Amino acid sequence: MSSLSSRKQEIASRFSRAALSYASHAALQQSIADTLLAHTAFAGVVLDAGCGSGRESRLLAEKPAVQEVIALDIAAAMLAALPASSRIRPLLGDMETIPLPAASVDVVFSSFAMQWCESAITVAEEFSRVLKQGGRLLASVPGPRSLDGLRAGGLLHVNEFRSEENWRVALESAGFRQLQFHHQDFAMHFDEPRELLRALKGIGANTVDMPRENHLLGRHWLAEVTRVLEAMREPQGLPLRYEAIFMEAVLPA
């Protein structure tokens, strides 16, 4: 894993720090994953790419037609949190350089993890490489409208997310066919700004550059963020919104 770029090393470190708190802060991501898990195509050897602490790996392993789940993650601490199961095999690695032989899995499952990749084409090619002919990809990623409100005022540095067209081009160039996409909006609400910021940090997805070198500067930053977030308040609370892009594709035989 020493060959990771500095960006990937930071992502791995961030998610490792979040490993113990991840499940308690990931309700929205779990709802998105459940939508993906409702598909009936899971059978044989399934690669859970970007498995996190393994909730979805466990649910996949419980499906009767699934023989084995290979739980791949870039963060060692996430793999250490995997549920114990003879049908789940942890694998430390980067989904852009998957440490698996070609044509070794029947299904690739990936829920809200592919957005961390540096190249959509590279990850699509890796999924194509490890899939058997006739294998299937089932994935979800945040779309461009995700976390829009948090970009207000420039106080929170939130990643830009790729469009459906970006993913479509990448998958087609990697040899995938029978592509299907659909979009669905998800939201959760928080009573206080600190709760929303803790949720982002708890799932390892925060891109918040909170000042640390000066306590007063940090307090000023938090006051400004609070002001911006409070302006977005709805009757249910402060919103955290994701546009989920669901994709399905087949590697032709």
Side-chain angles (χ1 to χ4, degrees):
M1 297 291 287
S2 59
S3 61
L4 292 176
S5 67
S6 58
R7 175 179 175 273
K8 288 282 186 72
Q9 290 177 30
E10 168 58 26
I11 291 168
S13 175
R14 186 187 306 163
F15 276 96
S16 285
R17 291 193 299 270
L20 293 179
S21 63
Y22 185 86
S24 63
H25 291 287
L28 188 145
Q29 280 78 1
Q30 290 171 6
S31 295
I32 293 167
D34 287 344
T35 302
L36 200 58
L37 286 164
H39 204 286
T40 60
F42 299 107
V45 177
V46 178
L47 173 64
D48 183 1
C51 64
S53 55
R55 173 185 177 269
E56 286 73 45
S57 295
R58 174 181 60 80
L59 294 173
L60 286 165
E62 291 173 355
K63 292 182 177 291
V66 171
Q67 172 188 340
E68 181 186 40
V69 177
I70 301 173
L72 172 73
D73 205 273
I74 200 172
M78 284 292 188
L79 295 179
L82 285 174
S85 170
S86 61
R87 300 176 69 191
I88 299 175
R89 171 158 59 104
L91 181 63
L92 182 65
D94 179 359
M95 68 176 72
E96 290 183 86
T97 53
I98 302 172
L100 286 174
S104 57
V105 304
D106 298 286
V107 180
V108 171
F109 170 92
S110 184
S111 188
F112 260 46
M114 293 162 62
Q115 70 272 15
W116 298 108
C117 293
E118 293 174 352
S119 167
I121 290 177
T122 300
V123 72
E125 289 175 343
E126 275 295 273
F127 287 168
S128 174
R129 183 185 66 81
V130 300
L131 273 171
K132 299 174 184 177
Q133 289 186 346
R136 189 176 298 269
L137 168 67
L138 295 163
S140 64
V141 292
R145 292 188 288 105
S146 297
L147 303 178
D148 259 355
L150 298 188
R151 296 188 180 93
L155 292 169
L156 300 179
H157 298 172
V158 178
N159 291 341
E160 298 290 337
F161 298 111
R162 297 178 179 94
S163 68
E164 174 186 321
E165 183 59 24
N166 293 148
W167 289 112
R168 183 183 297 277
V169 169
L171 292 174
E172 288 180 343
S173 71
F176 284 97
R177 297 296 180 264
Q178 300 180 40
L179 273 61
Q180 298 180 45
F181 290 85
H182 79 271
H183 297 237
Q184 187 173 339
D185 291 336
F186 292 80
M188 61 187 305
H189 291 81
F190 299 86
D191 292 332
E192 302 295 336
R194 286 181 182 271
E195 293 178 7
L196 186 151
L197 296 175
R198 272 198 300 269
L200 284 175
K201 183 177 181 180
I203 61 173
N206 59 308
T207 54
V208 178
D209 294 333
M210 182 170 181
R212 293 182 175 86
E213 71 281 0
N214 181 295
H215 182 61
L216 292 177
L217 182 60
R219 290 177 60 186
H220 175 73
W221 176 91
L222 183 59
E224 285 299 300
V225 169
T226 298
R227 179 184 61 79
V228 170
L229 292 177
E230 285 294 345
M232 297 161 39
R233 184 177 288 276
E234 299 173 352
Q236 309 97 304
L238 301 173
L240 182 64
R241 301 187 189 281
Y242 280 102
E243 170 199 15
I245 301 176
F246 294 92
M247 61 185 86
E248 179 179 350
V250 175
L251 191 66

